[in-house]
């Protein structure tokens, strides 16, 4: 396995966290939840995974369609397109969540998350090399325990990679349009201590909640950070960034093992 990437070295977490104190679920402050990735979970999709971050479980699929959106044809934009949808099953949370279809529209939160997924994936794919086709990424949360948006971004990328490999194998595209790998993770500050990969209880009580999407080369795609209780300092942000790099590096290693 090749571990040479800009996220793997030079990260000193000793000055950031006190790992002698355990978290709600017994983890160290710089430790990811147990991650399981089940490839080809949905046989009818071009690419699919069941991705699990602790108690958070999400089915991510990639479906290839041999056309492009109408706006691309109207504006005569070349290349293809990648778009995403996100949803949560009613029983994904302890208290049943009503289906958004019963309201006739998706919520603002859902819209925000699916746009995040789409933006993140489009940042690492060459749409010209994809050709005149679009890939639909669907992320369906079957159990939610924090970090659903970051797990969705990570799972969507893996599903996309399987779909692209199928296009290459079938010689429908000549070159791999994926420019580099990506992953996403949540980081927060709880009781003034930075922590990695928040579960729901940690998220609900966090002073600061942030999400990072980064590439294998260490480039940032998106950062979402909010002071839930007290404003945070630049130093605290830097510590969260270091934790995010460490977590994303660990996730990228798991991805590499999956495709070796």
């Amino acid at each position: 396995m090749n571990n040479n990437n800009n996220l793997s070295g030079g990260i000193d977490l000793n000055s950031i966290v006190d790992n002698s104190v355990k978290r709600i679920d017994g983890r160290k402050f710089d430790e990811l939840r147990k991650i399981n990735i089940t490839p080809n979970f949905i046989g009818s999709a071009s690419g699919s995974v069941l991705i699990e971050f602790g108690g958070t479980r999400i089915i991510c699929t990639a479906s290839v369609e041999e056309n492009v959106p109408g706006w691309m044809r109207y504006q005569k934009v070349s290349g293809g397109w990648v778009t995403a949808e996100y949803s949560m099953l009613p029983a994904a949370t302890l208290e049943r969540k009503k289906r958004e279809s019963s309201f006739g529209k998706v919520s603002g939160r859902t819209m925000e998350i699916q746009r995040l997924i789409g933006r993140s994936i489009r940042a690492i794919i060459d749409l010209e090399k994809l050709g005149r086709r679009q890939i639909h990424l669907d992320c369906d949360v079957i159990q939610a325990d924090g970090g659903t948006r970051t797990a969705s971004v990570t799972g969507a990328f893996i599903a996309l990679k399987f779909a692209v490999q199928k296009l290459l194998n079938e010689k429908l595209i000549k070159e791999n349009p994926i420019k580099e790998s990506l992953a996403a993770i949540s980081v927060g500050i709880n009781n003034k201590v930075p922590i990695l990969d928040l579960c729901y209880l940690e998220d609900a009580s966090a002073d600061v909640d942030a999400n990072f999407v980064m590439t294998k080369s260490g480039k940032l795609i998106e950062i979402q950070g909010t002071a839930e209780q007290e404003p945070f300092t630049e130093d605290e942000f830097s510590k969260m960034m270091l934790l995010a790099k460490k977590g994303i590096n660990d996730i990228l290693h798991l991805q590499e093992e999956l495709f070796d």
Side-chain angles (χ1 to χ4, degrees):
M1 181 176 62
N2 179 15
N3 293 343
N4 294 324
N5 63 63
N6 289 353
L7 297 177
S8 60
I11 301 175
D12 181 14
L13 296 174
N14 294 327
S15 62
I16 298 177
V17 295
D18 177 8
N19 276 322
S20 64
V21 180
K22 298 298 182 181
R23 294 160 63 177
I24 292 172
D25 52 11
R27 283 183 291 148
K28 298 177 180 179
F29 290 119
D30 59 350
E31 184 179 354
L32 292 168
R33 289 175 288 178
K34 183 178 180 181
I35 299 175
N36 290 317
I37 302 172
T38 306
N40 304 314
F41 191 73
I42 303 294
S44 54
S46 297
S48 67
V49 294
L50 169 65
I51 189 163
E52 301 171 84
F53 278 64
T56 289
R57 300 172 181 173
I58 305 172
I59 299 171
C60 300
T61 60
S63 304
V64 179
E65 201 169 282
E66 293 298 322
N67 58 43
V68 293
W71 65 265
M72 291 189 74
R73 294 192 298 270
Y74 176 76
Q75 296 180 18
K76 298 182 180 179
V77 178
S78 61
W81 191 246
V82 176
T83 188
E85 292 187 21
Y86 168 96
S87 66
M88 188 178 291
L89 295 187
T93 54
L94 290 176
E95 183 175 331
R96 184 185 184 275
K97 179 181 175 66
K98 289 185 178 181
R99 295 184 190 273
E100 293 187 341
S101 58
S102 65
F103 299 106
K105 63 178 181 179
V106 299
S107 68
R109 178 182 182 275
T110 294
M111 184 66 70
E112 175 200 352
I113 293 174
Q114 57 192 34
R115 285 177 173 171
L116 167 66
I117 299 166
R119 284 195 306 270
S120 299
I121 300 301
R122 288 193 296 272
I124 53 83
I125 192 165
D126 187 327
L127 296 173
E128 291 288 340
K129 291 181 180 178
L130 188 60
R132 296 299 280 177
R133 59 178 54 85
Q134 60 182 321
I135 297 180
H136 295 269
L137 302 170
D138 291 288
C139 301
D140 293 285
V141 181
I142 59 177
Q143 184 170 302
D145 185 23
T148 61
R149 73 183 64 198
T150 51
S152 292
V153 170
T154 302
F157 171 74
I158 298 171
L160 171 84
K161 196 164 181 178
F162 280 120
V164 165
Q165 188 58 56
K166 185 177 180 181
L167 288 171
L168 287 166
N169 292 343
E170 294 175 352
K171 301 188 185 308
L172 293 174
I173 55 176
K174 295 180 180 180
E175 297 180 77
N176 189 344
I178 298 176
K179 294 181 282 189
E180 64 174 318
S181 301
L182 67 73
I185 197 64
S186 65
V187 183
I189 297 177
N190 204 316
N191 295 322
K192 300 187 182 303
V193 178
I195 55 177
L196 179 67
D197 189 17
L198 283 65
C199 67
Y200 173 74
L201 290 176
E202 291 172 329
D203 192 354
S205 60
D207 301 318
V208 178
D209 181 22
N211 301 296
F212 293 80
V213 185
M214 302 179 71
T215 69
K216 181 178 178 179
S217 63
K219 295 176 182 177
L220 289 163
I221 293 177
E222 187 145 348
I223 301 173
Q224 299 177 338
T226 304
E228 302 288 352
Q229 304 292 334
E230 294 291 330
F232 55 99
T233 66
E234 185 175 340
D235 180 62
E236 288 172 323
F237 173 78
S238 297
K239 290 177 179 179
M240 288 192 291
M241 172 79 82
L242 286 177
L243 277 178
K245 287 182 177 180
K246 190 265 184 187
I248 286 173
N249 185 57
D250 291 344
I251 297 169
L252 289 170
H253 288 171
L254 290 175
Q255 288 184 12
E256 290 173 357
E257 292 174 354
L258 184 67
F259 289 97
D260 276 350

